[in-house]
Amino acid sequence: MTWRTMNSIMSIALIMGAIGYALNLNHSASQTIFFASSGVGPTYFPNVLAALVVILSLVTLVKNLRDKSKENCAVILTPNAGYILATFALVVAFLLSWQFFGFFYLNAFVLLTVLMTLYRIEFGLKNSLIVGLITSVSTTGFLYVLFGQVLALSL
Amino acid sequence: MDLFFNDLANLFNLTNILCILLGTVVGMVFGALPGLGTVIAVALLLPVTFTLPPLAGILMLLATYQAGEYGGSISAILLGVPGTPQAAATVIDGHPMAVNESPGKALSFSLLSSSIGGIFGGLVLIFISIPLAKFALNFGSPEYFLLGVIGLMAVGLLSGTDKVKSSISVLLGLMAGTVGVDTLTGVNRATFNQPELMDGINLVAFLVGMFAISELFLMISKGLNTSYSGDGRSLKTGLSAKEVKGIAKPTLIGSLIGAGTGILPGIGGGASCWFAYAVVSKTSKTPEAFGKGCAEGIAAPESSNNASAGGALVPFLALGIPGSAAIAIIMGAFIMHGIQPGPNVFTAERDLVYGIFYGFILTTVAMYLVGRLLTPAFSRVLVVPNSFLVAIVFVLCLIGIYASKSAFFDLWLALGIGVVFYILKRLNYSVSSVIIAYVLAPIIEENFRRSLTLSNGDYGVFFSSIYSIALVLMIVAALGGSIFADIKKRRTTTG
């Protein structure tokens, strides 16, 4: 994907987001009877903001489509894109597991071990797993003492 | 005099001292680590302030902010990689001095000038914010609305290269700030039927997602196992009286520039350190020494970025306008404790304000002492690769968000915000503008609506006093200046 395409997608997403925000705003506000002598009710200011986002995003979109420079048409390079996606997926799995099963510290230990092993995989699976396990045990222990015991935080 | 001693007695208690020390250590470590930085440190410590008295919590964040400014110079000097954008100018002379002469000496120059800059910023805060707050008592709702607009414009126009994208960022922050139940009418606004959004978007989730999670994704992109090699030579080197005297002038110039630019919203330490470096290198008796490890080249930017921290607190405390992302987060701590910064805070929360005044000086002293004692230890942290940092900081982020409200909704929201802002950052949208607009949104909207309600919808209310006319003129001048600068720039590039 090129920067030009990505910029266009973002502008369109912002326009759609602003419209969605305005629709939801006016729908929820319309269910309440309110009176504002000045004509400036609770939806006035947010509607102005949404309208401005739509206008400025359109400006960006048009500017971007007209910009055919080399930099704008270059393909986006994201080093370690696979690691970013894997991190995102692992955090989602961690959150689901924590939300539905609890056991924060166990989940945190697993997440830390898997992430560190994955990030250091270039040093070999065995090496990175051992380093990951040792670091995760000590980090989780530290987190438990700090948040679970000292700050008495219920996680 | 009794009040002064009473303020000092309030300040010097164990909780405050421990919080300042904790903030200093965290700020220095996060400032020193390239990629993390001061803003993330302040955002991560924000949930901790829930459990603390307001003064202790706010001093902890201020200590983090101050120490982070110095911490950035540790990696700038030892590795040639600035830990924070504010330390970018320090690399030019700090790293050559570390390589060619002594890393310990370069760090000592940085610490001393940072501390002097911090104290100068604190004095500016004490002596300017009170008269400014007294003056601001003349302001009504229209003036506060216009002040908010000026704050947003300064940030929007100065914080990014693409002004349209910066303006969109400002609007996104304002939109996020309007989510939740409207305080004037009780109407639900853009909550998408989520009860968790009725109190608005959770500040901690918003901040951590925007600054920390998105930054962690960027750190993964930059490389996970890059090993920096630390300098093994002694990092504890003292300075002679002659060397201290040699940096007196650049430190004073840097402090003046830093405090001055800090007061102006949107400029902050990042620009002031370059400005100070440029002025000092042009006025020096030995301009040819700059870039080769000159002590003046370290003192000027370092004193400047710490002085700008004190300067940035002036409009924040006196007017309620945060000038930088870190100050906006500190404003979040005020809001979470039910305190609204602005001129009235000087009478409503007198003990807190004076505690902040003297506490800010104390944070600088703590920075100096901790820096002297622990800089060698912090320098060892620099060799920790991102593969460890990313994983550990990710878990810390999630704990911080959950600790703020014990709601899983906020964790999902922060993750989503992190992904969106990772993309927005890569596309050159201004994240600082979003957060400043977010915290200013209630002030701007409330004063806008109150003004129009009082005037029965007459927009002339924004031109009804000499102060509001002056503020409108400032807005027009800033807009005009920005458009003029754009046209000039376009002509230069096409010509």
Side-chain angles (χ1 to χ4, degrees), chain B residues 50-70:
Chain B
F50 274 125
T51 54
L52 295 168
L55 180 60
I58 289 161
L59 287 180
M60 183 172 70
L61 298 184
L62 287 176
T64 312
Y65 184 23
Q66 275 273 48
E69 299 288 332
Y70 162 68

mmCIF file with all atom_site columns, all heavy atoms in Angstrom, chain B residues 50-70:
data_model
loop_
_atom_site.group_PDB
_atom_site.id
_atom_site.type_symbol
_atom_site.label_atom_id
_atom_site.label_alt_id
_atom_site.label_comp_id
_atom_site.label_asym_id
_atom_site.label_entity_id
_atom_site.label_seq_id
_atom_site.pdbx_PDB_ins_code
_atom_site.Cartn_x
_atom_site.Cartn_y
_atom_site.Cartn_z
_atom_site.occupancy
_atom_site.B_iso_or_equiv
_atom_site.pdbx_formal_charge
_atom_site.auth_seq_id
_atom_site.auth_comp_id
_atom_site.auth_asym_id
_atom_site.auth_atom_id
_atom_site.pdbx_PDB_model_num
ATOM 1   N N   . PHE B 1 50 ? -4.317 8.609  41.750 1.00 0.00 ? 50 PHE B N   1
ATOM 2   C CA  . PHE B 1 50 ? -5.658 8.379  42.304 1.00 0.00 ? 50 PHE B CA  1
ATOM 3   C C   . PHE B 1 50 ? -5.599 8.134  43.810 1.00 0.00 ? 50 PHE B C   1
ATOM 4   O O   . PHE B 1 50 ? -6.454 8.560  44.562 1.00 0.00 ? 50 PHE B O   1
ATOM 5   C CB  . PHE B 1 50 ? -6.263 7.097  41.698 1.00 0.00 ? 50 PHE B CB  1
ATOM 6   C CG  . PHE B 1 50 ? -6.965 7.315  40.404 1.00 0.00 ? 50 PHE B CG  1
ATOM 7   C CD1 . PHE B 1 50 ? -6.610 6.586  39.282 1.00 0.00 ? 50 PHE B CD1 1
ATOM 8   C CD2 . PHE B 1 50 ? -8.011 8.206  40.298 1.00 0.00 ? 50 PHE B CD2 1
ATOM 9   C CE1 . PHE B 1 50 ? -7.266 6.754  38.085 1.00 0.00 ? 50 PHE B CE1 1
ATOM 10  C CE2 . PHE B 1 50 ? -8.675 8.381  39.108 1.00 0.00 ? 50 PHE B CE2 1
ATOM 11  C CZ  . PHE B 1 50 ? -8.291 7.657  37.995 1.00 0.00 ? 50 PHE B CZ  1
ATOM 12  N N   . THR B 1 51 ? -4.567 7.359  44.193 1.00 0.00 ? 51 THR B N   1
ATOM 13  C CA  . THR B 1 51 ? -4.496 6.891  45.571 1.00 0.00 ? 51 THR B CA  1
ATOM 14  C C   . THR B 1 51 ? -3.777 7.884  46.479 1.00 0.00 ? 51 THR B C   1
ATOM 15  O O   . THR B 1 51 ? -3.650 7.646  47.669 1.00 0.00 ? 51 THR B O   1
ATOM 16  C CB  . THR B 1 51 ? -3.731 5.550  45.622 1.00 0.00 ? 51 THR B CB  1
ATOM 17  O OG1 . THR B 1 51 ? -2.470 5.748  44.969 1.00 0.00 ? 51 THR B OG1 1
ATOM 18  C CG2 . THR B 1 51 ? -4.483 4.445  44.907 1.00 0.00 ? 51 THR B CG2 1
ATOM 19  N N   . LEU B 1 52 ? -3.305 8.989  45.915 1.00 0.00 ? 52 LEU B N   1
ATOM 20  C CA  . LEU B 1 52 ? -2.475 9.916  46.691 1.00 0.00 ? 52 LEU B CA  1
ATOM 21  C C   . LEU B 1 52 ? -3.217 11.220 46.975 1.00 0.00 ? 52 LEU B C   1
ATOM 22  O O   . LEU B 1 52 ? -4.145 11.583 46.251 1.00 0.00 ? 52 LEU B O   1
ATOM 23  C CB  . LEU B 1 52 ? -1.201 10.244 45.892 1.00 0.00 ? 52 LEU B CB  1
ATOM 24  C CG  . LEU B 1 52 ? -0.237 9.087  45.641 1.00 0.00 ? 52 LEU B CG  1
ATOM 25  C CD1 . LEU B 1 52 ? 0.800  9.495  44.598 1.00 0.00 ? 52 LEU B CD1 1
ATOM 26  C CD2 . LEU B 1 52 ? 0.462  8.686  46.931 1.00 0.00 ? 52 LEU B CD2 1
ATOM 27  N N   . PRO B 1 53 ? -2.768 11.960 48.017 1.00 0.00 ? 53 PRO B N   1
ATOM 28  C CA  . PRO B 1 53 ? -3.310 13.311 48.196 1.00 0.00 ? 53 PRO B CA  1
ATOM 29  C C   . PRO B 1 53 ? -2.943 14.150 46.973 1.00 0.00 ? 53 PRO B C   1
ATOM 30  O O   . PRO B 1 53 ? -1.902 13.894 46.346 1.00 0.00 ? 53 PRO B O   1
ATOM 31  C CB  . PRO B 1 53 ? -2.585 13.821 49.451 1.00 0.00 ? 53 PRO B CB  1
ATOM 32  C CG  . PRO B 1 53 ? -1.974 12.629 50.090 1.00 0.00 ? 53 PRO B CG  1
ATOM 33  C CD  . PRO B 1 53 ? -1.767 11.599 49.031 1.00 0.00 ? 53 PRO B CD  1
ATOM 34  N N   . PRO B 1 54 ? -3.761 15.175 46.620 1.00 0.00 ? 54 PRO B N   1
ATOM 35  C CA  . PRO B 1 54 ? -3.508 15.934 45.377 1.00 0.00 ? 54 PRO B CA  1
ATOM 36  C C   . PRO B 1 54 ? -2.086 16.472 45.258 1.00 0.00 ? 54 PRO B C   1
ATOM 37  O O   . PRO B 1 54 ? -1.447 16.302 44.222 1.00 0.00 ? 54 PRO B O   1
ATOM 38  C CB  . PRO B 1 54 ? -4.524 17.079 45.443 1.00 0.00 ? 54 PRO B CB  1
ATOM 39  C CG  . PRO B 1 54 ? -5.599 16.592 46.334 1.00 0.00 ? 54 PRO B CG  1
ATOM 40  C CD  . PRO B 1 54 ? -4.983 15.627 47.291 1.00 0.00 ? 54 PRO B CD  1
ATOM 41  N N   . LEU B 1 55 ? -1.564 17.082 46.337 1.00 0.00 ? 55 LEU B N   1
ATOM 42  C CA  . LEU B 1 55 ? -0.229 17.687 46.222 1.00 0.00 ? 55 LEU B CA  1
ATOM 43  C C   . LEU B 1 55 ? 0.838  16.627 45.950 1.00 0.00 ? 55 LEU B C   1
ATOM 44  O O   . LEU B 1 55 ? 1.683  16.809 45.072 1.00 0.00 ? 55 LEU B O   1
ATOM 45  C CB  . LEU B 1 55 ? 0.119  18.477 47.496 1.00 0.00 ? 55 LEU B CB  1
ATOM 46  C CG  . LEU B 1 55 ? 1.486  19.161 47.484 1.00 0.00 ? 55 LEU B CG  1
ATOM 47  C CD1 . LEU B 1 55 ? 1.603  20.157 46.337 1.00 0.00 ? 55 LEU B CD1 1
ATOM 48  C CD2 . LEU B 1 55 ? 1.774  19.863 48.804 1.00 0.00 ? 55 LEU B CD2 1
ATOM 49  N N   . ALA B 1 56 ? 0.777  15.517 46.674 1.00 0.00 ? 56 ALA B N   1
ATOM 50  C CA  . ALA B 1 56 ? 1.779  14.459 46.489 1.00 0.00 ? 56 ALA B CA  1
ATOM 51  C C   . ALA B 1 56 ? 1.725  13.913 45.060 1.00 0.00 ? 56 ALA B C   1
ATOM 52  O O   . ALA B 1 56 ? 2.757  13.726 44.410 1.00 0.00 ? 56 ALA B O   1
ATOM 53  C CB  . ALA B 1 56 ? 1.548  13.343 47.498 1.00 0.00 ? 56 ALA B CB  1
ATOM 54  N N   . GLY B 1 57 ? 0.508  13.668 44.570 1.00 0.00 ? 57 GLY B N   1
ATOM 55  C CA  . GLY B 1 57 ? 0.342  13.125 43.220 1.00 0.00 ? 57 GLY B CA  1
ATOM 56  C C   . GLY B 1 57 ? 0.865  14.080 42.160 1.00 0.00 ? 57 GLY B C   1
ATOM 57  O O   . GLY B 1 57 ? 1.577  13.686 41.231 1.00 0.00 ? 57 GLY B O   1
ATOM 58  N N   . ILE B 1 58 ? 0.518  15.359 42.311 1.00 0.00 ? 58 ILE B N   1
ATOM 59  C CA  . ILE B 1 58 ? 0.930  16.344 41.305 1.00 0.00 ? 58 ILE B CA  1
ATOM 60  C C   . ILE B 1 58 ? 2.454  16.556 41.357 1.00 0.00 ? 58 ILE B C   1
ATOM 61  O O   . ILE B 1 58 ? 3.114  16.654 40.319 1.00 0.00 ? 58 ILE B O   1
ATOM 62  C CB  . ILE B 1 58 ? 0.146  17.661 41.491 1.00 0.00 ? 58 ILE B CB  1
ATOM 63  C CG1 . ILE B 1 58 ? -1.307 17.418 41.065 1.00 0.00 ? 58 ILE B CG1 1
ATOM 64  C CG2 . ILE B 1 58 ? 0.743  18.799 40.687 1.00 0.00 ? 58 ILE B CG2 1
ATOM 65  C CD1 . ILE B 1 58 ? -2.294 18.407 41.579 1.00 0.00 ? 58 ILE B CD1 1
ATOM 66  N N   . LEU B 1 59 ? 3.021  16.575 42.566 1.00 0.00 ? 59 LEU B N   1
ATOM 67  C CA  . LEU B 1 59 ? 4.474  16.730 42.663 1.00 0.00 ? 59 LEU B CA  1
ATOM 68  C C   . LEU B 1 59 ? 5.195  15.531 42.057 1.00 0.00 ? 59 LEU B C   1
ATOM 69  O O   . LEU B 1 59 ? 6.260  15.687 41.448 1.00 0.00 ? 59 LEU B O   1
ATOM 70  C CB  . LEU B 1 59 ? 4.896  16.916 44.125 1.00 0.00 ? 59 LEU B CB  1
ATOM 71  C CG  . LEU B 1 59 ? 4.566  18.277 44.738 1.00 0.00 ? 59 LEU B CG  1
ATOM 72  C CD1 . LEU B 1 59 ? 5.031  18.330 46.189 1.00 0.00 ? 59 LEU B CD1 1
ATOM 73  C CD2 . LEU B 1 59 ? 5.201  19.414 43.955 1.00 0.00 ? 59 LEU B CD2 1
ATOM 74  N N   . MET B 1 60 ? 4.598  14.348 42.204 1.00 0.00 ? 60 MET B N   1
ATOM 75  C CA  . MET B 1 60 ? 5.224  13.165 41.602 1.00 0.00 ? 60 MET B CA  1
ATOM 76  C C   . MET B 1 60 ? 5.277  13.322 40.074 1.00 0.00 ? 60 MET B C   1
ATOM 77  O O   . MET B 1 60 ? 6.305  13.047 39.443 1.00 0.00 ? 60 MET B O   1
ATOM 78  C CB  . MET B 1 60 ? 4.431  11.906 41.970 1.00 0.00 ? 60 MET B CB  1
ATOM 79  C CG  . MET B 1 60 ? 5.056  10.632 41.442 1.00 0.00 ? 60 MET B CG  1
ATOM 80  S SD  . MET B 1 60 ? 4.238  9.186  42.086 1.00 0.00 ? 60 MET B SD  1
ATOM 81  C CE  . MET B 1 60 ? 2.689  9.279  41.254 1.00 0.00 ? 60 MET B CE  1
ATOM 82  N N   . LEU B 1 61 ? 4.172  13.803 39.497 1.00 0.00 ? 61 LEU B N   1
ATOM 83  C CA  . LEU B 1 61 ? 4.149  13.988 38.037 1.00 0.00 ? 61 LEU B CA  1
ATOM 84  C C   . LEU B 1 61 ? 5.114  15.100 37.611 1.00 0.00 ? 61 LEU B C   1
ATOM 85  O O   . LEU B 1 61 ? 5.797  14.987 36.585 1.00 0.00 ? 61 LEU B O   1
ATOM 86  C CB  . LEU B 1 61 ? 2.731  14.306 37.561 1.00 0.00 ? 61 LEU B CB  1
ATOM 87  C CG  . LEU B 1 61 ? 1.672  13.227 37.820 1.00 0.00 ? 61 LEU B CG  1
ATOM 88  C CD1 . LEU B 1 61 ? 0.330  13.637 37.221 1.00 0.00 ? 61 LEU B CD1 1
ATOM 89  C CD2 . LEU B 1 61 ? 2.082  11.886 37.243 1.00 0.00 ? 61 LEU B CD2 1
ATOM 90  N N   . LEU B 1 62 ? 5.175  16.168 38.406 1.00 0.00 ? 62 LEU B N   1
ATOM 91  C CA  . LEU B 1 62 ? 6.103  17.254 38.066 1.00 0.00 ? 62 LEU B CA  1
ATOM 92  C C   . LEU B 1 62 ? 7.551  16.794 38.170 1.00 0.00 ? 62 LEU B C   1
ATOM 93  O O   . LEU B 1 62 ? 8.392  17.164 37.346 1.00 0.00 ? 62 LEU B O   1
ATOM 94  C CB  . LEU B 1 62 ? 5.875  18.464 38.991 1.00 0.00 ? 62 LEU B CB  1
ATOM 95  C CG  . LEU B 1 62 ? 4.600  19.268 38.731 1.00 0.00 ? 62 LEU B CG  1
ATOM 96  C CD1 . LEU B 1 62 ? 4.445  20.364 39.771 1.00 0.00 ? 62 LEU B CD1 1
ATOM 97  C CD2 . LEU B 1 62 ? 4.628  19.895 37.340 1.00 0.00 ? 62 LEU B CD2 1
ATOM 98  N N   . ALA B 1 63 ? 7.837  15.976 39.191 1.00 0.00 ? 63 ALA B N   1
ATOM 99  C CA  . ALA B 1 63 ? 9.201  15.443 39.339 1.00 0.00 ? 63 ALA B CA  1
ATOM 100 C C   . ALA B 1 63 ? 9.548  14.561 38.144 1.00 0.00 ? 63 ALA B C   1
ATOM 101 O O   . ALA B 1 63 ? 10.674 14.591 37.633 1.00 0.00 ? 63 ALA B O   1
ATOM 102 C CB  . ALA B 1 63 ? 9.306  14.659 40.640 1.00 0.00 ? 63 ALA B CB  1
ATOM 103 N N   . THR B 1 64 ? 8.569  13.783 37.683 1.00 0.00 ? 64 THR B N   1
ATOM 104 C CA  . THR B 1 64 ? 8.776  12.924 36.511 1.00 0.00 ? 64 THR B CA  1
ATOM 105 C C   . THR B 1 64 ? 9.092  13.779 35.279 1.00 0.00 ? 64 THR B C   1
ATOM 106 O O   . THR B 1 64 ? 10.009 13.478 34.511 1.00 0.00 ? 64 THR B O   1
ATOM 107 C CB  . THR B 1 64 ? 7.507  12.083 36.245 1.00 0.00 ? 64 THR B CB  1
ATOM 108 O OG1 . THR B 1 64 ? 7.090  11.490 37.455 1.00 0.00 ? 64 THR B OG1 1
ATOM 109 C CG2 . THR B 1 64 ? 7.744  11.015 35.208 1.00 0.00 ? 64 THR B CG2 1
ATOM 110 N N   . TYR B 1 65 ? 8.319  14.842 35.136 1.00 0.00 ? 65 TYR B N   1
ATOM 111 C CA  . TYR B 1 65 ? 8.479  15.749 33.995 1.00 0.00 ? 65 TYR B CA  1
ATOM 112 C C   . TYR B 1 65 ? 9.873  16.384 34.012 1.00 0.00 ? 65 TYR B C   1
ATOM 113 O O   . TYR B 1 65 ? 10.610 16.362 33.015 1.00 0.00 ? 65 TYR B O   1
ATOM 114 C CB  . TYR B 1 65 ? 7.378  16.810 34.099 1.00 0.00 ? 65 TYR B CB  1
ATOM 115 C CG  . TYR B 1 65 ? 7.280  17.817 32.973 1.00 0.00 ? 65 TYR B CG  1
ATOM 116 C CD1 . TYR B 1 65 ? 7.784  17.566 31.706 1.00 0.00 ? 65 TYR B CD1 1
ATOM 117 C CD2 . TYR B 1 65 ? 6.639  19.036 33.178 1.00 0.00 ? 65 TYR B CD2 1
ATOM 118 C CE1 . TYR B 1 65 ? 7.661  18.493 30.694 1.00 0.00 ? 65 TYR B CE1 1
ATOM 119 C CE2 . TYR B 1 65 ? 6.509  19.975 32.170 1.00 0.00 ? 65 TYR B CE2 1
ATOM 120 C CZ  . TYR B 1 65 ? 7.031  19.702 30.937 1.00 0.00 ? 65 TYR B CZ  1
ATOM 121 O OH  . TYR B 1 65 ? 6.906  20.632 29.932 1.00 0.00 ? 65 TYR B OH  1
ATOM 122 N N   . GLN B 1 66 ? 10.246 16.922 35.191 1.00 0.00 ? 66 GLN B N   1
ATOM 123 C CA  . GLN B 1 66 ? 11.557 17.566 35.331 1.00 0.00 ? 66 GLN B CA  1
ATOM 124 C C   . GLN B 1 66 ? 12.694 16.577 35.064 1.00 0.00 ? 66 GLN B C   1
ATOM 125 O O   . GLN B 1 66 ? 13.601 16.844 34.287 1.00 0.00 ? 66 GLN B O   1
ATOM 126 C CB  . GLN B 1 66 ? 11.727 18.082 36.773 1.00 0.00 ? 66 GLN B CB  1
ATOM 127 C CG  . GLN B 1 66 ? 11.162 19.425 37.022 1.00 0.00 ? 66 GLN B CG  1
ATOM 128 C CD  . GLN B 1 66 ? 12.178 20.497 36.671 1.00 0.00 ? 66 GLN B CD  1
ATOM 129 O OE1 . GLN B 1 66 ? 12.789 20.480 35.607 1.00 0.00 ? 66 GLN B OE1 1
ATOM 130 N NE2 . GLN B 1 66 ? 12.359 21.453 37.543 1.00 0.00 ? 66 GLN B NE2 1
ATOM 131 N N   . ALA B 1 67 ? 12.642 15.429 35.752 1.00 0.00 ? 67 ALA B N   1
ATOM 132 C CA  . ALA B 1 67 ? 13.735 14.465 35.650 1.00 0.00 ? 67 ALA B CA  1
ATOM 133 C C   . ALA B 1 67 ? 13.822 13.867 34.249 1.00 0.00 ? 67 ALA B C   1
ATOM 134 O O   . ALA B 1 67 ? 14.914 13.553 33.770 1.00 0.00 ? 67 ALA B O   1
ATOM 135 C CB  . ALA B 1 67 ? 13.542 13.356 36.682 1.00 0.00 ? 67 ALA B CB  1
ATOM 136 N N   . GLY B 1 68 ? 12.667 13.734 33.587 1.00 0.00 ? 68 GLY B N   1
ATOM 137 C CA  . GLY B 1 68 ? 12.654 13.212 32.218 1.00 0.00 ? 68 GLY B CA  1
ATOM 138 C C   . GLY B 1 68 ? 13.412 14.130 31.274 1.00 0.00 ? 68 GLY B C   1
ATOM 139 O O   . GLY B 1 68 ? 14.074 13.681 30.331 1.00 0.00 ? 68 GLY B O   1
ATOM 140 N N   . GLU B 1 69 ? 13.323 15.445 31.530 1.00 0.00 ? 69 GLU B N   1
ATOM 141 C CA  . GLU B 1 69 ? 14.028 16.419 30.682 1.00 0.00 ? 69 GLU B CA  1
ATOM 142 C C   . GLU B 1 69 ? 15.545 16.198 30.783 1.00 0.00 ? 69 GLU B C   1
ATOM 143 O O   . GLU B 1 69 ? 16.253 16.262 29.790 1.00 0.00 ? 69 GLU B O   1
ATOM 144 C CB  . GLU B 1 69 ? 13.686 17.851 31.103 1.00 0.00 ? 69 GLU B CB  1
ATOM 145 C CG  . GLU B 1 69 ? 12.218 18.224 30.987 1.00 0.00 ? 69 GLU B CG  1
ATOM 146 C CD  . GLU B 1 69 ? 11.760 18.389 29.557 1.00 0.00 ? 69 GLU B CD  1
ATOM 147 O OE1 . GLU B 1 69 ? 12.576 18.734 28.705 1.00 0.00 ? 69 GLU B OE1 1
ATOM 148 O OE2 . GLU B 1 69 ? 10.561 18.147 29.288 1.00 0.00 ? 69 GLU B OE2 1
ATOM 149 N N   . TYR B 1 70 ? 16.028 15.944 32.014 1.00 0.00 ? 70 TYR B N   1
ATOM 150 C CA  . TYR B 1 70 ? 17.460 15.657 32.170 1.00 0.00 ? 70 TYR B CA  1
ATOM 151 C C   . TYR B 1 70 ? 17.780 14.249 31.664 1.00 0.00 ? 70 TYR B C   1
ATOM 152 O O   . TYR B 1 70 ? 18.797 14.034 30.993 1.00 0.00 ? 70 TYR B O   1
ATOM 153 C CB  . TYR B 1 70 ? 17.880 15.806 33.639 1.00 0.00 ? 70 TYR B CB  1
ATOM 154 C CG  . TYR B 1 70 ? 19.206 15.125 33.927 1.00 0.00 ? 70 TYR B CG  1
ATOM 155 C CD1 . TYR B 1 70 ? 20.397 15.614 33.382 1.00 0.00 ? 70 TYR B CD1 1
ATOM 156 C CD2 . TYR B 1 70 ? 19.269 13.965 34.709 1.00 0.00 ? 70 TYR B CD2 1
ATOM 157 C CE1 . TYR B 1 70 ? 21.608 14.971 33.612 1.00 0.00 ? 70 TYR B CE1 1
ATOM 158 C CE2 . TYR B 1 70 ? 20.475 13.321 34.943 1.00 0.00 ? 70 TYR B CE2 1
ATOM 159 C CZ  . TYR B 1 70 ? 21.643 13.818 34.387 1.00 0.00 ? 70 TYR B CZ  1
ATOM 160 O OH  . TYR B 1 70 ? 22.835 13.179 34.596 1.00 0.00 ? 70 TYR B OH  1
#
